[in-house]
Amino acid sequence: MKSLSSLLITSAVIAVSSTASAALVAGDIALVGFQASGVTTDSFSFASLVNVDAGTVLYFTDNGFTTGTGFRGVSATDNDGNEGLVKYTVGASGLAAGQVVSSLSTNTANGAWTLSGLIYGATVGSGSYAPLSFSSTGEQFTVFQSSNAQPMLSGYISLYNFDNTGAYEAATTSGTGQLAPGLVGGTSAILLASPTSANFANFNFAAFSGAADRATWLARMGNSANWTTSAATTDVADGSFSVGAVPTPGAVALLGLAGLISRRRR
């Protein structure tokens, strides 16, 4: 018969491994690249900080958010609001923690972009998916999940926000917006200064080496000093970096209890 300590350790390992299929929360996905007026088209990139299951759907919008109102222009009869919405469906192999995906990516093994077609249906309002169009003088956009067939109307879980206007404000124009519910500046959002001639901004992975855990990466990504901005027209690209495995709080507690029991049995 297995000892209690070995059973607890097994339970902890199961708890750690099961986190891959858990629902995403703010900071599990980060926005790490932005390009207005790129070589091909306006583009961006996102990074996974956890393993993401196959079939997971992510939404990206440059509609600004206003507290108490929601995404700008979105209503029960307007599914895309005043700006744009795109959808990404994770591929059959899922995304590993540390995967970077460009909005221009054609790697179907990772997933597929939906850039056209009705968002909900012809019988309920209007609005179609379309590539996001960014302003070179300041922009913000958000990645989120949603349980609603009209994803920006309700049922959304905000994951990360990018803003290079230098401040958060009510969404009254195409370049303004506040943080959607659940997002925190420096942790699940990056705020950069308003650009002068800079159209390109990306998190500088090259400045860091080795593995870091999710919290460390998010702190780095949320620090504007770790971003590179320029007037270059280089499009963002796919890539990867190393995210160290960190047990969930419950798993840490189980492992600690198992260790205590093991010491007492000696």
Side-chain angles (χ1 to χ4, degrees):
M1 180 179 292
K2 289 185 177 180
S3 67
L4 177 58
S5 60
S6 63
L7 286 172
L8 284 170
I9 291 173
T10 300
S11 298
V13 170
I14 293 173
V16 173
S17 62
S18 67
T19 59
S21 59
L24 298 178
V25 299
D28 284 348
I29 300 294
L31 297 170
V32 294
F34 168 86
Q35 174 60 278
S37 304
V39 173
T40 305
T41 185
D42 293 350
S43 57
F44 62 89
S45 60
F46 73 88
S48 55
L49 275 298
V50 296
N51 295 332
V52 182
D53 290 344
T56 297
V57 174
L58 303 173
Y59 296 97
F60 301 79
T61 185
D62 54 348
N63 281 285
F65 190 90
T66 299
T67 302
T69 302
F71 288 106
R72 181 171 174 257
V74 175
S75 69
T77 57
D78 187 343
N79 295 327
D80 59 3
N82 291 93
E83 298 186 71
L85 179 70
V86 297
K87 179 171 71 172
Y88 184 81
T89 305
V90 177
S93 298
L95 291 179
Q99 192 73 41
V100 179
V101 178
S102 166
S103 62
L104 301 179
S105 177
T106 58
N107 184 349
T108 55
N110 287 340
W113 291 98
T114 300
L115 304 175
S116 62
L118 292 173
I119 293 169
Y120 181 53
T123 59
V124 180
S126 62
S128 299
Y129 293 108
L132 303 188
S133 179
F134 296 138
S135 169
S136 61
T137 59
E139 188 61 86
Q140 54 73 45
F141 66 109
T142 303
V143 53
F144 63 98
Q145 289 187 290
S146 180
S147 59
N148 195 336
Q150 295 175 280
M152 285 193 286
L153 184 62
S154 64
Y156 42 75
I157 300 173
S158 306
L159 302 177
Y160 207 90
N161 175 268
F162 171 96
D163 190 313
N164 69 337
T165 68
Y168 297 120
E169 61 285 290
T172 57
T173 68
S174 61
T176 55
Q178 296 171 329
L179 291 179
L183 299 184
V184 178
T187 300
S188 50
I190 175 62
L191 179 64
L192 301 178
S194 298
T196 51
S197 60
N199 298 330
F200 180 73
N202 71 300
F203 175 72
N204 189 8
F205 288 104
F208 308 103
S209 60
D213 63 29
R214 174 184 178 277
T216 300
W217 278 117
L218 285 174
R220 291 171 175 175
M221 292 169 178
N223 182 350
S224 61
N226 294 329
W227 284 68
T228 298
T229 60
S230 73
T233 55
T234 305
D235 286 318
V236 295
D238 292 347
S240 64
F241 59 102
S242 184
V243 180
V246 179
T248 62
V252 171
L254 284 170
L255 288 169
L257 179 59
L260 178 61
I261 292 172
S262 178
R263 286 194 296 273
R264 286 183 175 179
R265 288 172 60 88
R266 292 173 183 171

